[in-house]
Amino acid sequence: MMPLRSVVKGVGAYLPERVLSNDDMARIVETSDDWIRQRTGIARRHIAADDQLTSDLGKLAAEAALDNAGVSADEIDLIVLATTTPDNTFPATAARLQAKLGVTRGAAFDVQAVCSGFLYALTQADNMLRLGQAKCALVVGAEIYSRILDWEDRGTCVLFGDGAGAVVLKAEQTGDGAGADRGVLTTNLGADGRFYDALYVDGGPASTRTAGFVRMQGQEVFRHAVKRMSESVEQALAEAGLSLADIDWLIPHQANSRIIDMVGKKLGVPPEHVVVTVEEHANTSAATIPLALTHGVERQLFKPGDLLGLTAMGGGFTWGAALIRW
């Protein structure tokens, strides 16, 4: 029997209706459109409605992905949700998402690796599909960062937004024919807890009994993001027996346009083959990569056989990469 591989069958995204422009931000905190654009490339961010939960955003993105894949909820037997902003401390928001989608079988659990969360979730789903522990997985990144921002801290509040993205994966046998190597080729993950305090939330049920706010050492995060994101892609390529020249599209975490530009340059990927969406929705943490994937699919950027390199770094520090053959 040929080995199993996780194949992307569909993608979907959701951004809340409320939009907060940079000019709107200038009315909240001392900043300007020029200041934000020059340093981050961000023009606007979406903000969840007061009555929306992370599971609501995830549900809408997941439904779009299922529709795009032509897959029904009855076929899903695994949900992995990456989020830093769960509906409740417990149970897992994935369980609530499972119920909202009408999925009645299989496992559902959350993964928390901040901006690297989607790649951590993708890795877990890929491993389970390859092992035959599930047949059809829904991998979701969903965040409501507006609830954990200090709106008086210009260094963080202008950077983040709310949103969700989702991918449907199916386990398929590889073979020798055309498209035999489609799907997730390899993933790799890393973490270095020595930098825990460089990007964190200053609250939690065990420490302060509050949700807390995002705190960040911007220059430290920038320096490590460029290095770790680039290295993780190079490592994934080496593990797959591929080279930098094989990458057709780079889909990086959408935190900052300068980080994205520098990672693209280090990897030698032409700017026109780097998917950039940060201008439209800012940093949505675990949701940025599936949002960017959906952006590419909607614009028909990827053709069969293209090699997509996904990479991210987030608080922890955590980082990772994945190679997907389209």
Side-chain angles (χ1 to χ4, degrees), residues 158-228:
V158 302
L159 302 177
F160 296 93
D162 304 337
V167 170
V168 176
L169 297 175
K170 271 192 175 182
E172 294 186 356
Q173 289 186 357
T174 59
D176 299 324
D181 65 343
R182 283 187 65 206
V184 180
L185 304 186
T186 188
T187 64
N188 71 72
L189 305 174
D192 190 340
R194 293 174 297 175
F195 297 96
Y196 189 98
D197 293 331
L199 177 54
Y200 70 106
V201 167
D202 61 1
S207 57
T208 64
R209 303 182 185 183
T210 64
F213 296 121
V214 175
R215 305 299 179 194
M216 180 175 68
Q217 298 174 22
Q219 290 302 313
E220 188 80 345
V221 172
F222 187 101
R223 180 170 63 89
H224 281 270
V226 173
K227 175 180 172 63
R228 295 301 189 182

Side-chain angles (χ1 to χ4, degrees), residues 302-306 326:
F302 317 135
K303 65 180 186 297
D306 278 356
W326 204 247

Side-chain angles (χ1 to χ4, degrees), residues 101-151:
L101 291 171
V103 176
T104 58
R105 62 196 181 96
F109 59 92
D110 292 356
V111 169
Q112 213 281 52
V114 201
C115 297
S116 306
F118 181 79
L119 291 177
Y120 270 64
L122 180 73
T123 298
Q124 301 311 309
D126 177 50
N127 288 341
M128 293 179 70
L129 290 170
R130 286 174 183 262
L131 288 171
Q133 295 174 336
K135 294 181 180 179
C136 190
L138 186 60
V139 184
V140 182
E143 305 280 15
I144 301 184
Y145 258 60
S146 59
R147 309 267 166 88
I148 56 171
L149 293 176
D150 179 349
W151 290 93

Side-chain angles (χ1 to χ4, degrees), residues 275-295:
V275 179
V276 182
T277 59
V278 66
E279 178 182 5
E280 296 302 319
H281 54 64
N283 184 348
T284 56
S285 191
T288 69
I289 288 180
L291 281 169
L293 265 175
T294 304
H295 173 92

